Amino acid sequence: MLDVHLLSTQPNPLSAEELIAQVPIKMVNARRVSCDGGGGSLGHPKVYINLDQNKEAHACGYCGLRFQQEAHHH
């Protein structure tokens, strides 16, 4: 039986949240982006993410990839 309390015995001790947090935020010029997980048929349903609501990064609800609108200087 695998002891889930000993992380050193696990094949990958990092959680999915920790792994996706290591992926850099994708900076984009658009006000809206789509995300499908990037895996083709292994991805997830396409979702659209509005980025102009605030200046922070927005995460995809399926895979956790983060997108942020680049600052526009007028």
Side-chain angles (χ1 to χ4, degrees):
M1 186 165 127
L2 186 63
D3 186 353
V4 295
H5 295 89
L6 295 175
L7 290 179
S8 62
T9 64
Q10 300 295 316
N12 188 357
L14 295 178
S15 69
E17 290 86 4
E18 291 169 318
L19 291 172
I20 200 67
Q22 294 176 4
V23 176
I25 296 171
K26 294 183 179 186
M27 302 301 290
V28 297
N29 289 318
R31 294 174 50 207
R32 181 176 57 175
V33 297
S34 65
C35 182
D36 62 4
S41 62
L42 298 177
H44 58 68
K46 184 183 281 189
V47 294
Y48 293 89
I49 304 166
N50 290 321
L51 302 177
D52 58 353
Q53 295 172 358
N54 59 38
K55 303 302 179 197
E56 299 174 2
H58 297 270
C60 172
Y62 280 102
C63 65
L65 289 175
R66 296 167 295 157
F67 300 87
Q68 185 171 352
Q69 187 178 23
E70 291 184 350
H72 297 285
H73 301 287
H74 298 278

